[in-house]
């Protein structure tokens, strides 16, 4: 994983970092499932997923049970343990 992607992940808003953590802890989810688990609004989750997908941290796939939905998962090539900014608590 490029250091640039890791740095860009640290620059994302807290909502995107929360969505990242949901995917990191719980694995692949649809947008609806992420909304339920994170308790963020659908619009906020959609924006976070767009940002995470744009920087290459999240991959989007077709959700087989319902092709109208998408399944989101972390990019498996990433070394996400190197991202220290996700461990920091906001002040």
């Amino acid at each position: 994983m490029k250091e640039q992607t890791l740095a860009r992940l640290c620059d994302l808003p807290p909502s995107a970092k929360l969505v990242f953590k949901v995917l990191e802890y719980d694995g692949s989810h649809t947008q609806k499932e992420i909304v339920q688990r994170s308790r963020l609004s659908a619009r906020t989750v959609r924006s976070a997923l767009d940002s995470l997908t744009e920087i290459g941290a999240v991959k989007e796939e077709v959700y087989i049970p319902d092709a109208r939905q998408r399944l989101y998962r972390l990019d498996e090539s990433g070394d996400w343990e190197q991202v220290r900014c996700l461990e920091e608590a906001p002040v």
Side-chain angles (χ1 to χ4, degrees), residues 40-54:
L40 296 171
S41 72
R43 185 179 205 166
T44 300
V45 169
R46 185 171 52 249
S47 175
L49 287 169
D50 287 345
S51 297
L52 290 165
T53 302
E54 182 180 311

Side-chain angles (χ1 to χ4, degrees), residues 19-38:
V19 169
F20 180 91
K21 282 299 192 181
V22 167
L23 292 171
E24 182 180 41
Y25 292 143
D26 298 332
S28 300
H29 287 298
T30 64
Q31 180 180 331
K32 183 186 265 187
E33 292 169 337
I34 296 169
V35 167
Q36 292 170 345
R37 291 184 185 276
S38 68

